[in-house]
Amino acid sequence: MPPTDLDVFTCPLDGIRLVEASAGTGKTWNICGLYLRLLLEKAVPVESLLVVTFTRAATAELSTRIRDRIVDTLRVLDGGQAGGDPFVPSLIDTVLAAGLARDDMAARLRRALQTFDEAAIFTIHGFCQRALADTPFAAGLPYALELVEDDAALRLEATQDFWRREIAGADLPPALAERLLQRGDSPERWAELLGRDMARPLAERRWDDPPGGAGDFGAAAVRLEAAYEAAQYAWRGGEAAIAQAIDAALPGLNGKIYTPDSVARAHERWAAWFAAGDPAALPAGGGKLELLTKEKLESSVTKAGHAKGIAPPHHPFFAAAGELLAAREAAEERVEAARLALLRRFVRQTAEELRRRKRERRQVAFDDILWNAYDALTAGRQPWLAAALHARFPVALIDEFQDTDPLQFAIFDRVYNDGGRHGGLFLVGDPKQAIYSFRSADLHTYLAARDRTDTRHTLRHNQRSAPALIEACNRLFGANPAVFMLPGLTYERVDAGTRPRAPFIDDTASGASAAALHLWRIPREEAPPGEEEAGGDRLPRAQAMRRAALASAD
């Protein structure tokens, strides 16, 4: 269902409602309208009317804007002028139509101003911290907690303890120890991985388990050793015969794969591997090794080769080489599976251990605040908590909702849409901004949350940008309905609002009429002389970023 245009002064104030709004369409203006209507029509006091946004700066701005609207409305009720903004007259007319007298409106607004220092306008972390502070027994946490803004030292400490116990002090198989070194694993690196994992505790974890599984790699090591000895035995003393067999068959082999140069490199790498005397000492560029395996040789004889009667080259080494590479691949899969199993055990155990140590030391980090609230609400130890928070904050306005991740949404969903409770939740955001992963946004969470709302609205009038720019964006993004690719996320047309805008004049344009929207294409590299038709290659990322920055600055 497409969204309906939001009229903040007529929309119902119950249920779960989603407001999708592009930049410049008046999100804050409408949040203020909803806030004051709830304050007046529903008599929700400021300390119980929850407003949540995602930065301290946005929280401070919202608080100031809401307070200013209360002051403006109270001034008009006391006989002052409304000015050119339709907000206050529309609000007063709406509340009068709802049955509240002007004197009662003024009384409620004065009470709101007197207690506005207690207004429940928080960041998501501030709300969760307040919720747990008001109900300290719910999370089983100490009464007083020290906020540690950076828990990197604590994470490293817990990681080092795991490393000493499970790796440095354990009897690790040599192949696994070597693999950890090859992958650059260390306590510092794993502590960083732990921090990234704990920042998204509800994320779906997809481990790239090798196809061989996590079975015992001791048998795979024995197979590799035996295959290495067999291939090495066939190679020694037979190098000349091996070369002759391939040279004789070369006219019938795929010429794109088998060239005198590629065959020579394959010989060199096999010789280097056997000279090392170690099955694990695979030479660099080992991809050429398969050229001397029976399977590769047999599959590379061309139709022309068969027509000429050229058969695949034959030598015992070719079959032994294929078995050795297969044995090595199996051993690699087993040791990588063992590494991943170790890493998975580390993440699971150390996350729990780190949370335990923080409780003992009465410390909490920002990510812990959200986790503790989620755990208290969903673990089942205090089934009364969600209802208690709903009674404490019967209505919530969530700003910048597109930045909500699964953990944050689960907290609000548990309070406002669970256990027979349904309603009192307004979600305001721009789904197009949820495509930006650097903001930790989660587009799938947004779309799943949208499916759980009662109504979906949009703000369609941009009061900030020039009409020509608005129309240019409509044409650009409207040209392809699937521009954002993911089903469910579409571009909604935006119209120019009625708010006056001063024209933008570019004094450097030499009198030329500047277009409202410019699109730059990053040029390709200049092609070498004689190759102009190729058009050059794409610029390296660093150069492209530099050119984009210069174009934007100009």
Side-chain angles (χ1 to χ4, degrees), residues 29-113:
W29 195 92
N30 282 275
I31 288 174
C32 290
L34 291 171
Y35 190 98
L36 267 72
R37 283 189 63 201
L38 289 161
L39 194 68
L40 294 170
E41 295 180 39
K42 299 294 185 181
V44 183
V46 293
E47 64 270 18
S48 297
L49 184 42
L50 177 63
V51 180
V52 175
T53 189
F54 286 83
T55 66
R56 292 177 180 174
T59 300
E61 181 186 358
L62 264 176
S63 181
T64 300
R65 293 279 293 273
I66 291 172
R67 190 182 188 283
D68 288 346
R69 284 304 190 187
I70 294 175
V71 171
D72 292 343
T73 307
L74 192 55
R75 185 185 68 249
V76 173
L77 288 171
D78 289 340
Q81 296 297 314
D85 189 339
F87 180 94
V88 174
S90 298
L91 174 68
I92 292 175
D93 290 344
T94 297
V95 179
L96 286 172
L100 190 67
R102 295 176 72 93
D103 289 346
D104 293 331
M105 271 192 266
R108 290 183 182 182
L109 292 177
R110 287 192 181 91
R111 191 182 313 118
L113 278 180

Side-chain angles (χ1 to χ4, degrees), residues 276-305:
D278 181 2
L282 187 70
K288 294 293 181 183
L289 294 173
E290 68 168 1
L291 295 185
L292 302 193
T293 63
K294 179 181 178 181
E295 182 180 7
K296 186 68 173 178
L297 287 165
E298 289 179 346
S299 66
S300 297
V301 178
T302 63
K303 291 182 179 180

Side-chain angles (χ1 to χ4, degrees), residues 288-491:
K288 294 293 181 183
L289 294 173
E290 68 168 1
L291 295 185
L292 302 193
T293 63
K294 179 181 178 181
E295 182 180 7
K296 186 68 173 178
L297 287 165
E298 289 179 346
S299 66
S300 297
V301 178
T302 63
K303 291 182 179 180
H306 285 297
K308 295 176 183 178
I310 299 177
H314 178 73
H315 190 279
F317 172 75
F318 300 142
E323 166 58 16
L324 173 54
L325 292 184
R328 185 182 183 281
E329 181 179 0
E332 287 287 302
E333 290 174 352
R334 293 297 191 277
V335 73
E336 183 61 22
R339 174 185 172 270
L340 283 176
L342 182 64
L343 182 57
R344 293 173 75 165
R345 189 165 75 252
F346 158 75
V347 169
R348 183 179 64 253
Q349 293 181 2
T350 312
E352 296 174 359
E353 173 62 17
L354 183 57
R355 292 189 179 107
R356 185 190 64 79
R357 294 187 186 191
K358 287 177 180 177
R359 286 194 297 270
E360 287 183 350
R361 301 178 190 186
R362 299 175 180 269
Q363 294 179 333
V364 64
F366 282 114
D367 289 336
D368 300 320
I369 293 172
L370 302 185
W371 170 259
N372 290 339
Y374 168 80
D375 185 58
L377 283 165
T378 62
R381 296 186 298 270
Q382 293 82 20
W384 49 267
L385 179 59
L389 288 176
H390 190 273
R392 173 76 173 81
F393 302 104
V395 184
L397 303 170
I398 313 301
D399 188 24
E400 301 293 355
F401 181 68
Q402 75 277 348
D403 292 341
T404 300
D405 65 22
L407 181 70
Q408 295 163 359
F409 176 66
I411 292 170
F412 294 121
D413 194 53
R414 183 76 174 87
V415 174
Y416 292 97
N417 192 20
D418 190 79
R421 296 176 308 280
H422 183 86
L425 183 62
F426 288 83
L427 309 173
V428 183
D430 182 1
K432 298 185 296 299
Q433 294 184 39
I435 66 175
Y436 298 121
S437 61
F438 70 86
R439 294 169 60 126
S440 298
D442 189 311
L443 184 53
H444 298 280
T445 295
Y446 182 94
L447 294 176
R450 187 173 73 184
D451 291 340
R452 290 176 65 80
T453 59
D454 299 322
T455 55
R456 178 182 166 209
H457 304 280
T458 188
L459 299 176
R460 199 173 297 279
H461 294 89
N462 186 315
Q463 307 288 350
R464 181 186 304 165
S465 303
L469 177 60
I470 296 169
E471 182 57 28
C473 289
N474 284 332
R475 294 195 183 191
L476 175 65
F477 290 101
N480 178 9
V483 64
F484 293 106
M485 297 189 289
L486 191 69
L489 181 58
T490 57
Y491 178 82

